[in-house]
Amino acid sequence: MITSLRRAMAPILTAVAVLASAPLPADAHVNAHVNARAGVEDRVNAALKQWMTANGVSNAGLAVMRDNALTGSYGYNEISAETPVNVASLSKAITAVCLMSLIDNGRLRFDTRLAAMPRSFRLRLGYRASRTARDITIEQLLRHTSGITYDPTQNGLVGVRNAFSSDVPLVRRALARPISAKHDEVYNNINYAILGLVIQSVTGQPYESYCRRMALAPRGATGRIGPGTRAMKAFGGWEISAVDYAMFARAFDPRARLLSPAAHRFIDASAVSGRPAASLGVFVVPTAHGRNLFHHGNWQSTATRPNAFSAFFAMWDNGISVVVTYDRNLTDAARVSLDNTLRQATYS
């Protein structure tokens, strides 16, 4: 858990607990108020309503997928499952899948070093930052093992222009600080800000249009960078509905054949222990029957529009996946509760 999550500006979220999305024991069950005979969609919706009441959430959208088919969509008050909303760190999976297209077509490799990137990329970073980051690889950025420890987004982007180009000064600030030689997993928005710059440099196209075409459209989804979150772009700027995100996220199920075998091998290589590990824009936990994937996203800042928003995605090894969007920034405990509550409902 990243201690900076408790800072006043509440930055975009990483894994919120070691036990989040862990496999359930065989006797796990939902609250007795939920009808055990109801379909999984209704159980998940009932569980979400209980969680919303307990945590003071009024506006939310929910999409439920079963074996990669949309089987339930629900909305509360100002948000529906079809309402495009900002999804914070769930944006990272879009960036990762977009970048995977460049690996699949041979334009990048997981072990590509930033020193091998086009000259335009190095010039944008500046001489000092380019030298500092030269040995960082694409894989390290995807897995948050780059050694970059300073994250200038953690002040809520106060004083940062709401512009597509703001990722450049943010990256330069981060790379002006020392990089750790340990390369432990340290969740940092800057890793994905750099990946966004990589995509632009390699393709010669704007990040948003290229990723919409390569990550969203092939999975039957649509979205955009939110007009009030342009500075967050590749690490947290996407605006997309719960239904569209669920359609996109089908790619993470190998049965859907919407990601390459290389992408799934990359994800599986992360699932080597009982704790969540960063992978292709999501966190992965190994289970007896495969893997569970999840990611929380949250944001609160006076420097963006809207000021607060959150989202949750999970894909469990029982074939059920969910996407929840809501307009509040809550505590780590509340987010863990959301994961546990919905997961229990799906396994009932």
Side-chain angles (χ1 to χ4, degrees):
M1 193 184 304
I2 306 301
T3 55
S4 61
L5 292 175
R6 296 182 175 84
R7 294 179 185 177
M9 298 311 298
I12 290 180
L13 181 70
T14 180
V16 295
V18 171
L19 295 180
S21 283
L24 286 177
D27 61 348
H29 62 278
V30 294
N31 187 292
H33 290 99
V34 180
N35 185 348
R37 292 176 297 178
V40 65
E41 304 82 10
D42 294 331
R43 295 200 309 269
V44 170
N45 185 43
L48 176 64
K49 286 193 288 187
Q50 293 174 9
W51 177 85
M52 290 173 62
T53 298
N55 290 279
V57 175
S58 300
N59 306 309
L62 166 66
V64 183
M65 302 283 283
R66 189 175 202 171
D67 296 327
N68 298 310
L70 181 68
T71 57
S73 59
Y74 307 85
Y76 293 92
N77 297 313
E78 297 178 11
I79 300 179
S80 75
E82 293 78 23
T83 304
V85 294
N86 298 87
V87 294
S89 266
L90 269 61
S91 300
K92 291 182 173 69
I94 297 174
T95 299
V97 169
C98 179
L99 183 128
M100 195 66 219
S101 69
L102 298 174
I103 292 176
D104 289 336
N105 65 26
R107 302 178 74 179
L108 287 173
R109 295 164 49 104
F110 287 120
D111 62 359
T112 298
R113 297 161 61 236
L114 293 187
M117 293 301 300
R119 185 170 180 268
S120 61
F121 173 87
R122 300 195 301 274
L123 288 174
R124 295 189 78 186
L125 293 191
Y127 176 76
R128 179 179 178 183
S130 180
R131 287 182 59 84
T132 300
R134 62 181 292 110
D135 291 328
I136 293 174
T137 67
I138 297 300
E139 177 174 356
Q140 290 172 337
L141 294 168
L142 287 167
R143 296 195 191 281
H144 295 282
T145 57
S146 64
I148 300 171
T149 55
Y150 175 58
D151 186 347
T153 73
Q154 296 294 326
N155 72 344
L157 300 181
V158 173
V160 176
R161 287 196 312 129
N162 177 36
F164 288 122
S165 60
S166 291
D167 48 2
V168 173
L170 287 170
V171 168
R172 286 182 175 181
R173 288 181 204 172
L175 296 182
R177 303 287 185 92
I179 292 179
S180 172
K182 292 184 178 180
H183 294 287
D184 295 329
E185 183 181 308
V186 178
Y187 189 91
N188 191 322
N189 290 328
I190 295 302
N191 289 312
Y192 277 72
I194 294 174
L195 289 173
L197 292 174
V198 167
I199 290 168
Q200 292 177 174
S201 296
V202 172
T203 65
Q205 300 178 38
Y207 163 84
E208 180 183 15
S209 58
Y210 183 81
C211 290
R212 186 189 296 117
R213 179 164 58 86
M214 299 304 293
L216 297 183
R219 284 99 193 168
T222 186
R224 66 172 184 171
I225 300 299
T229 54
R230 290 172 182 155
M232 299 165 69
K233 204 162 66 178
F235 65 85
W238 281 93
E239 184 180 277
I240 185 171
S241 72
V243 166
D244 275 306
Y245 196 91
M247 294 295 290
F248 154 75
R250 293 176 302 153
F252 289 101
D253 187 333
R255 298 173 301 171
R257 298 185 178 181
L258 292 171
L259 273 182
S260 67
H264 289 292
R265 287 194 297 270
F266 185 82
I267 295 170
D268 289 334
S270 303
V272 295
S273 70
R275 66 174 183 82
S279 189
L280 206 66
V282 294
F283 286 87
V284 56
V285 181
T287 72
H289 304 290
R291 66 195 188 198
N292 287 349
L293 303 176
F294 75 101
H295 208 321
H296 293 266
N298 72 288
W299 184 261
Q300 182 170 320
S301 174
T302 58
T304 59
R305 296 291 181 273
N307 296 152
F309 45 91
S310 297
F312 172 63
F313 159 71
M315 176 176 284
W316 295 292
D317 63 6
N318 59 3
I320 307 299
S321 60
V322 299
V323 178
V324 180
T325 59
Y326 54 104
D327 61 354
R328 291 195 57 201
N329 172 43
L330 301 174
T331 64
D332 289 356
R335 290 184 280 270
V336 171
S337 174
L338 175 62
D339 184 323
N340 291 338
T341 297
L342 300 190
R343 180 162 37 92
Q344 290 171 5
T346 70
Y347 281 93
S348 297

